[in-house]
Amino acid sequence: MKIKSWLFPLTLLAGVILHSTFAKVELPGAGFSTFGSGAVRAEVVQILEEGEVNMGGHTQKYQAARVKILEGQYQGVPMEIDYGKRQVRSDDYDLTVGDKVMVSISKTPENVVNAYFVDYVRSTPMLWLAVVFALAIILISRWKGVGALLSMAFSLYVIVAYIIPQILIGEDPLRVSIIGSAVLLGVTLYLTYGWTLKTHAAVISMVVVLMLTGALSAFFVVFAKLNGTGDESVMFLVQLTETPINMRGLLLGGMLIGALGVLDDLVTTQASAVFELHHANPNLGFRALYNSAMRIGQDHVAATVNTLVLAYAGASLPMLLLFSLARGDYGSLINYALVAEEIVRIVAPTPDDPLITLVMPDKPNGCLVAIAPGIIEIAAEAILHHIQPTRIAILTHTNLRRYAEPLHSAFTQRGVPAHLMTLPSGEQMKSLRVAERLYAQLLEAGCDRGSLLVIVGGGVLGDLGGFVAATYMRGILYVQVPTTLLAQVDSSVGGKVGVDLPQGKNLVGTFHQPVMTLIDPETLDTLPLRHWRNGFAEMLKYGAALQIGLWRRLQMIVEAKLISPRRVHREAALWTLPIARCIALKAQIASEDERDLSGRRAVLNFGHTVGHAIEAALGYRDWLHGEAIAAGMVAEAEIGRILGITLPEVADELRETIAQAGLPTQLPAGVDADTLLAHMRHDKKRAGDALSIVLLEAIGNARLVPNIPTEAIREALTRCATS
Ligand SMILES: NC(=O)c1ccc[n+]([C@@H]2O[C@H](COP(=O)([O-])OP(=O)(O)OC[C@H]3O[C@@H](n4cnc5c(N)ncnc54)[C@H](O)[C@@H]3O)[C@@H](O)[C@H]2O)c1
Ligand SMILES: [Zn+2]
């Protein structure tokens, strides 16, 4: 395709404008010496001596040579250098007469001038390489090649003239990288592919993906607690520059720019594919076009992942070597932020170094969620570090005193009056009557508006206690210390609190975010197996509906029989990360849609439309919530299968994993399709008329589908009835 003739002047103009904006930057701390700044070029004129020396146990060749200095203060002066006598040679290229080398020259206090070999001058061969490279490109791609070369030069220009100086003067690296990348990719795409509809499409998708990448990396950098100081050269930078540079931003910026190359490739070839498909068959409808393009895209993404891994392994070969050298002592290596950053891996947290997630980080009522085995032992300290309450009331169950009592004494020891309130277990505690009793106890204990409620228990106490905290004296602060798996992955985050009425569950309530949620997987040690499975069902829901990576991890847990119909492995180390993943997903969604208004939270309800109907049909007896939604997920996947939204193999995979975990995959005996449909309709009366249900498009990808035909639901439920 011919490049439009006006594109060059336009780019030139853009370049001039950009240059005048970028070039004004005055770099700070200019004048400090960095690598190579003190070296000068010299030419080898004579080899004086050659031989072998013993360097730290191995022999290497050395040479001494006379050189002529080509520039600087000593220009024209002949000097002697040696190569390999005092330094380890990393290669075995010999110096020959005529070679250009870099030497550094120093003067001792006695005014003796010495020259040292630094490196070969590679500019000439590199230049030749560049010329050959450019010629090859132009030969193969003609005009497109010229455009590509120009855009390569432009990329370098943007990075060197804009991104780097702006970061060095202390601008936010993430912002600078985003702006730089957008300008860079925009211009280079147009230069390379011309001013066509296809390029517009590519540019638009690129900007969207760029923003997404930014958001995702930001999330994971915070989630993995990467602070950008794991890289040696970054630490070097900190010491050299006077302006404070936002290290986390720098890390993010680097990730973004790193993603650019891949993006460019993916986006343009994908756009190309769509246009070619359309060209080959202009009658192809939107849906068919989209589906074909998606299939190409899937292969493309898969191939790209491979490319990335290879490129990455190539770039970090020294790091991989370091790993192999550590043989058996990976643990200590993993502790270095350096390595953590390299492989973006979350290390198993300790109580003083927990995994942290924030709910609504930008709002005053945001909540800090910390997850670590053993964190309950330092809970009092952590809480009082954040909040200075007048008094503390702790709400727990009688059977959980072992967790609540140490907390009670820790508060008292730290001089804060604390009061322990215990209730028996059971859903029936979630009532206005019990809430009223708790208000009375709080009053009696002298709790005022500055007091804090700490809840140590499962979802029942979380909902009840949260409701009491939301309403007592128009609302006091509260902290969740969830002790069931269900509460740790779900109910302790999000701020939905409430009680039941005799007419139904959760009919009275509000939103009240805890100030902190402290999750200690070690407290699950005493949790009965059935309640483990109960929470595990919600975990499977997160994976199936939102994140394939989590789903695969949970599948591995099931396949390794770490949770099975008869037992569960309770090692906290095994569960910490999956719990953290679930909570991060919940936190993210709750942050986006605190009051459950935008429908964003709806995807969390996968399995719940049918699940709630099962619970209601059983009168909230016999089956636990997680068991009902396990069967609910299977039934809803079946609805998706009937409607052609869920692939049969996806529905089967879901059922299989749920069954292996010991959770029900069929409706309870004696509950028929029509009873469930009636309950579903009754449930929906609150939201509107037609039934909308969250259906799986793929593992990790669920969507709220409106107006589901009743027939499809009835058919699916009938298929799921107990055989
Ligand atoms: N607010 C929300 O967003 C939300 C979300 C999901 C569920 N919920 C609510 O959560 C409630 C269910 O919560 P749940 O499943 O945690 O039930 P639960 O709170 O009743 O706890 C289950 C049982 O486990 C016991 N237990 C708790 N921790 C233990 C431990 N560490 N060791 C031994 N035993 C322990 C309890 O005494 C109880 O008998 C329901 O009322 C539901 O409506 C709320
Ligand atoms: Zn649920």
Side-chain angles (χ1 to χ4, degrees):
M1 178 192 337
K2 202 175 141 4
I3 298 267
K4 290 266 160 59
S5 51
W6 48 264
L7 209 54
F8 287 105
L10 186 78
T11 318
L12 213 58
L13 184 71
V16 170
I17 295 172
L18 285 172
H19 187 82
S20 49
T21 7
F22 296 166
K24 290 199 195 81
V25 171
E26 283 244 342
L27 287 185
F32 57 65
S33 85
T34 57
F35 182 73
S37 64
V40 292
R41 287 183 309 137
E43 187 183 335
V44 178
V45 289
Q46 192 189 356
I47 304 295
L48 298 170
E49 195 187 329
E50 278 176 329
E52 280 186 347
V53 287
N54 197 298
M55 288 284 291
H58 88 109
T59 41
Q60 73 174 14
K61 267 171 83 177
Y62 79 90
Q63 289 178 303
R66 175 165 295 136
V67 298
K68 194 172 83 196
I69 306 298
L70 296 175
E71 59 194 7
Q73 196 187 344
Y74 299 95
Q75 187 176 0
V77 179
M79 291 193 189
E80 278 178 28
I81 57 165
D82 72 69
Y83 177 42
K85 220 174 191 173
R86 282 166 290 185
Q87 77 212 111
V88 178
R89 280 172 66 157
S90 52
D91 54 52
D92 36 41
Y93 303 120
D94 287 337
L95 292 174
T96 51
V97 173
D99 276 354
K100 301 273 191 338
V101 292
M102 301 294 293
V103 299
S104 88
I105 300 171
S106 69
K107 204 157 50 169
T108 65
E110 296 83 40
N111 276 334
V112 183
V113 179
N114 286 312
Y116 302 96
F117 173 87
V118 174
D119 204 351
Y120 288 96
V121 174
R122 297 196 174 83
S123 39
T124 320
M126 289 305 277
L127 203 68
W128 275 113
L129 186 64
V131 169
V132 171
F133 175 72
L135 278 178
I137 288 183
I138 293 175
L139 263 174
I140 296 168
S141 311
R142 309 283 155 106
W143 271 113
K144 257 193 193 172
V146 175
L149 285 176
L150 276 177
S151 54
M152 196 176 75
F154 182 77
S155 306
L156 274 178
Y157 176 74
V158 171
I159 293 176
V160 174
Y162 173 67
I163 297 185
I164 292 177
Q166 292 287 325
I167 292 178
L168 280 179
I169 60 167
E171 291 293 322
D172 175 20
L174 184 59
R175 212 196 51 203
V176 171
S177 305
I178 288 185
I179 295 177
S181 309
V183 171
L184 195 155
L185 269 192
V187 172
T188 54
L189 283 177
Y190 282 119
L191 261 182
T192 317
Y193 304 101
W195 184 264
T196 63
L197 192 58
K198 188 169 82 184
T199 321
H200 305 330
V203 168
I204 292 172
S205 5
M206 180 214 72
V207 170
V208 172
V209 178
L210 203 58
M211 278 149 73
L212 251 154
T213 313
L216 268 178
S217 346
F219 175 71
F220 278 103
V221 163
V222 175
F223 186 42
K225 294 191 291 121
L226 301 178
N227 50 23
T229 51
D231 188 334
E232 242 174 77
S233 40
V234 170
M235 290 321 286
F236 191 54
L237 193 65
V238 177
Q239 289 157 16
L240 280 180
T241 53
E242 286 132 39
T243 13
I245 293 177
N246 176 347
M247 291 301 145
R248 179 169 287 173
L250 194 60
L251 178 67
L252 282 173
M255 286 183 176
L256 263 183
I257 296 178
L260 270 187
V262 185
L263 247 185
D264 188 346
D265 175 17
L266 269 181
V267 160
T268 45
T269 43
Q270 211 39 46
S272 222
V274 174
F275 279 82
E276 286 302 320
L277 282 171
H278 178 69
H279 188 70
N281 179 4
N283 301 327
L284 217 55
F286 176 79
R287 184 96 209 152
L289 187 62
Y290 174 83
N291 285 339
S292 307
M294 268 322 269
R295 275 194 295 276
I296 298 180
Q298 280 156 359
D299 282 348
H300 203 155
V301 167
T304 307
V305 167
N306 245 334
T307 314
L308 276 179
V309 170
L310 289 180
Y312 193 78
S316 44
L317 213 51
M319 186 54 68
L320 295 177
L321 288 180
L322 198 59
F323 258 99
S324 319
L325 276 180
R327 248 176 272 140
D329 193 16
Y330 285 65
S332 68
L333 255 184
I334 284 168
N335 264 329
Y336 291 118
L338 174 73
V339 181
E341 227 144 72
E342 276 294 306
I343 56 180
V344 192
R345 165 193 170 120
I346 306 164
V347 294
T350 61
D352 9 272
D353 194 12
L355 294 171
I356 306 263
T357 299
L358 295 169
V359 188
M360 305 191 304
D362 47 347
K363 299 232 185 92
N365 61 340
C367 164
L368 182 142
V369 187
I371 306 149
I375 202 171
I376 197 164
E377 280 154 34
I378 58 153
E381 197 185 324
I383 291 169
L384 294 179
H385 189 75
H386 266 256
I387 316 152
Q388 290 78 42
T390 52
R391 275 168 191 283
I392 292 177
I394 304 173
L395 176 63
T396 193
H397 287 312
T398 331
N399 58 337
L400 298 176
R401 292 184 79 112
R402 90 188 75 189
Y403 301 116
E405 267 165 6
L407 205 54
H408 179 256
S409 26
F411 284 129
T412 330
Q413 267 167 28
R414 285 178 165 71
V416 186
H419 174 73
L420 197 61
M421 309 189 288
T422 48
L423 286 177
S425 300
E427 179 74 28
Q428 70 278 12
M429 289 298 120
K430 257 176 75 173
S431 72
L432 285 171
R433 243 209 344 267
V434 177
E436 201 177 335
R437 247 167 51 204
L438 292 175
Y439 297 136
Q441 285 194 38
L442 289 172
L443 278 174
E444 205 173 303
C447 290
D448 56 17
R449 296 197 58 191
S451 298
L452 173 77
L453 179 66
V454 177
I455 302 163
V456 181
V460 164
L461 282 193
D463 281 13
L464 168 72
F467 179 74
V468 167
T471 43
Y472 181 70
M473 299 206 168
R474 296 207 176 79
I476 61 171
L477 298 180
Y478 76 112
V479 169
Q480 295 261 28
V481 184
T483 62
T484 63
L485 187 55
L486 179 109
Q488 295 195 347
V489 297
D490 187 358
S491 62
S492 65
V493 161
K496 279 191 187 176
V497 297
V499 294
D500 303 338
L501 291 183
Q503 290 83 350
K505 267 191 60 155
N506 297 325
L507 289 179
V508 176
T510 180
F511 291 89
H512 189 51
Q513 299 287 341
V515 264
M516 272 179 127
T517 295
L518 300 176
I519 298 178
D520 188 344
E522 277 178 5
T523 59
L524 302 178
D525 201 36
T526 48
L527 189 71
L529 174 59
R530 197 170 169 202
H531 283 284
W532 269 91
R533 278 202 300 266
N534 186 36
F536 193 71
E538 291 283 3
M539 299 180 83
L540 288 173
K541 172 203 77 180
Y542 284 107
L546 289 160
Q547 204 179 68
I548 186 160
L550 175 61
W551 171 262
R552 293 272 173 262
R553 185 182 278 265
L554 296 174
Q555 238 180 354
M556 270 159 53
I557 289 181
V558 170
E559 270 155 22
K561 300 220 173 355
L562 299 173
I563 186 161
S564 68
R566 261 170 305 142
R567 63 200 185 101
V568 56
H569 275 253
R570 295 159 187 269
E571 287 83 19
L574 171 72
W575 292 96
T576 306
L577 215 58
I579 292 175
R581 287 263 184 98
C582 294
I583 271 312
L585 288 168
K586 173 113 191 218
Q588 195 191 2
I589 286 177
S591 302
E592 287 165 18
D593 183 15
E594 187 197 358
R595 302 252 151 182
D596 206 353
L597 296 174
S598 73
R600 183 73 185 91
R601 267 197 183 194
V603 278
L604 291 175
N605 272 338
F606 174 56
H608 280 60
T609 309
V610 174
H612 284 154
I614 295 175
E615 287 186 285
L618 291 175
Y620 299 95
R621 281 186 304 271
D622 303 339
W623 279 28
L624 294 176
H625 173 71
E627 294 164 339
I629 65 152
M633 285 191 282
V634 174
E636 290 179 14
E638 214 51 47
I639 298 174
R641 190 206 298 251
I642 289 166
L643 297 180
I645 292 176
T646 311
L647 286 176
E649 51 268 34
V650 169
D652 292 342
E653 184 181 333
L654 185 82
R655 168 187 281 124
E656 190 126 315
T657 305
I658 289 177
Q660 278 177 333
L663 284 158
T665 54
Q666 293 179 328
L667 305 179
V671 172
D672 61 30
D674 283 309
T675 319
L676 289 180
L677 260 170
H679 280 292
M680 283 161 77
R681 286 217 195 80
H682 178 257
D683 210 30
K684 282 295 146 178
K685 279 220 185 88
R686 297 185 223 152
D689 256 331
L691 277 172
S692 31
I693 301 182
V694 179
L695 297 181
L696 278 193
E697 291 198 320
I699 294 286
N701 185 7
R703 170 167 71 88
L704 185 65
V705 180
N707 301 321
I708 309 252
T710 311
E711 264 327 297
I713 302 175
R714 183 176 288 118
E715 166 66 21
L717 292 176
T718 313
R719 284 189 199 172
C720 292
T722 311
S723 44

